Amino acid sequence: MNSQQDMSYDAKNPPPIAFEKTLPPEEFLTKINEVRTLLGPLTEKSSKYCSDAAIARYLAARNGHVKKATKMLKETLKWRSQYKPEEIRWEEISREAETGKIYRADCTDKYGRPVLVMRPSSQNTKSPKGQIRFLVYCMENAILNLPDHQDQMVWLIDFHGFNMSHISVKVSRETAHVLQEHYPERLGLAVLYNPPKIFEPFWKMVKPFLDPKTRNKVRFVYSDDNVSKKILEDIFDMERLEVAFGGNNSESSFNFEKYAERMREDDLKFFGNTTVSSTSALLTGSDSEVSDTEMNYLEDKDDVKIKNGASLDTTRP
């Protein structure tokens, strides 16, 4: 890994992500209106996901290309109508959350961005579709908790206890697909905390499947490296950051019962209920962006290569 590149993030001045900052206001609005025209009539439900800010994120993800951004947004609207992420409730995915493998921290960063803590070594289920559905729930919840002035979140990925048995090519590829295609420009920064040497082959395999903007938001931080640790110090109030990441807050570690209460409260706050719809329940363990046959093939082939430390043909479709 290029540690110099990994540590070059200017936490005090995060790069602008709003597409309008790269264009004169008139041209920016023109592009948004062009996307709206190409989208055509929308249902009331779809319109909620096509605000100016949302369209701007899709334009940014496609470097201002109106037709490509429109196609991407149409695919998201189709995905949302089928996958129904807004209908996922805590009770549906709580089994996935028991070990704290993903949770929204009770603090934000200095810019008010929600923080998703991820711990790969805490994987507790074997259902790729259940794991993806849980991730989608976490993303939706973090977005609902965004302050008015923010569009993005931060990921803190803790590699404590990690080994290659925690890696799933199947889940990783589908995760990248869902996040990049349906949640563009939602990631502000991803911090990989103390990744072990054995993680490098996997990272080299995954990198080509990440768009350059996403790759540039990934930073490696090591607890024994004061230079890389400064990334966390610049971004977080260390008094509020949990001890596991070098912070001073010893009371913010994951507690399932307390977290379950928080999520139920959020479900009530944002949706008015905590009930799992019949449609949402049926989708758990069903819909997948990539066919099971293809994913099983990729899983069998690539997992063996990674665990054996072999080079990977990352250009293969």
Side-chain angles (χ1 to χ4, degrees):
M1 294 175 207
N2 188 336
S3 58
Q4 190 66 32
Q5 180 182 0
D6 294 336
M7 297 175 195
S8 62
Y9 180 74
D10 183 359
K12 294 181 180 179
N13 298 287
I17 59 94
F19 189 68
E20 66 267 28
K21 293 184 180 180
T22 66
L23 289 174
E26 299 80 7
E27 189 175 345
F28 164 69
L29 291 174
T30 297
K31 284 182 176 287
I32 285 183
N33 289 330
E34 287 175 358
V35 171
R36 289 196 183 282
T37 299
L38 291 174
L39 284 173
L42 297 170
T43 65
E44 181 179 353
K45 187 174 182 179
S46 292
S47 296
K48 292 195 310 182
Y49 305 107
C50 297
S51 65
D52 284 0
I55 292 174
R57 287 193 299 274
Y58 284 80
L59 281 166
R62 292 297 179 261
N63 297 313
H65 195 291
V66 170
K67 288 185 178 180
K68 290 181 179 179
T70 304
K71 179 181 179 182
M72 184 184 186
L73 183 48
K74 283 183 175 180
E75 287 297 319
T76 291
L77 294 176
K78 178 181 177 182
W79 173 76
R80 294 193 75 93
S81 71
Q82 296 174 343
Y83 198 78
K84 304 183 184 304
E86 73 283 352
E87 293 187 10
I88 306 174
R89 296 293 181 270
W90 170 256
E91 299 304 335
E92 176 188 337
I93 50 77
S94 60
R95 169 73 180 89
E96 294 281 348
E98 289 178 353
T99 57
K101 63 186 178 188
I102 307 177
Y103 62 93
R104 181 169 58 84
D106 57 8
C107 70
T108 64
D109 74 351
K110 290 180 179 179
Y111 305 97
R113 295 180 292 191
V115 179
L116 284 184
V117 175
M118 303 180 179
R119 292 195 162 95
S121 64
S122 296
Q123 183 56 260
N124 63 326
T125 65
K126 296 185 180 298
S127 166
K129 292 170 188 175
Q131 291 167 20
I132 294 297
R133 200 148 177 85
F134 175 50
L135 174 66
V136 168
Y137 175 85
C138 293
M139 290 294 294
E140 294 282 314
N141 178 265
I143 290 168
L144 289 169
N145 280 282
L146 284 165
D148 291 339
H149 64 285
Q150 272 296 351
D151 283 330
Q152 296 185 317
M153 64 189 74
V154 175
W155 294 353
L156 275 178
I157 306 173
D158 183 4
F159 282 86
H160 177 75
F162 174 85
N163 61 58
M164 293 309 296
S165 69
H166 302 127
I167 286 289
S168 167
V169 175
K170 180 176 184 177
V171 175
S172 299
R173 287 195 178 182
E174 192 163 358
T175 295
H177 174 87
V178 170
L179 295 178
Q180 291 185 157
E181 297 303 314
H182 305 311
Y183 295 96
E185 298 299 324
R186 285 302 192 183
L187 179 63
L189 179 70
V191 175
L192 278 59
Y193 191 75
N194 284 335
K197 194 75 173 174
I198 58 172
F199 179 74
E200 291 189 23
F202 178 74
W203 174 244
K204 289 176 182 176
M205 187 213 71
V206 171
K207 276 178 69 174
F209 296 98
L210 303 177
D211 66 67
K213 289 182 180 180
T214 301
R215 289 201 302 268
N216 290 337
K217 294 173 182 177
V218 176
R219 295 294 177 268
F220 293 81
V221 174
Y222 301 92
S223 56
D224 59 354
D225 185 316
N226 290 329
V227 176
S228 66
K229 278 169 59 179
K230 195 172 187 304
I231 293 174
L232 292 181
E233 294 169 359
D234 286 342
I235 267 198
F236 291 100
D237 177 350
M238 300 304 284
E239 293 301 314
R240 300 183 62 195
L241 186 65
E242 65 179 87
V243 173
F245 296 102
N248 300 319
N249 188 349
S250 59
E251 299 179 358
S252 64
S253 57
F254 181 77
N255 178 286
F256 177 71
E257 286 74 21
K258 291 181 179 179
Y259 192 69
E261 184 178 348
R262 279 178 65 195
M263 294 301 101
R264 291 190 189 101
E265 288 174 356
D266 274 3
D267 283 356
L268 282 172
K269 174 182 176 182
F270 295 116
F271 307 113
N273 66 75
T274 60
T275 306
V276 180
S277 72
S278 57
T279 304
S280 184
L282 285 171
L283 285 170
T284 306
S286 60
D287 279 359
S288 178
E289 291 291 321
V290 184
S291 72
D292 284 341
T293 301
E294 179 185 357
M295 293 306 326
N296 287 335
Y297 170 80
L298 294 172
E299 182 86 346
D300 292 343
K301 297 295 182 181
D302 286 347
D303 276 358
V304 169
K305 288 184 179 180
I306 293 172
K307 290 169 184 176
N308 289 339
S311 62
L312 296 166
D313 179 8
T314 54
T315 62
R316 174 167 56 83

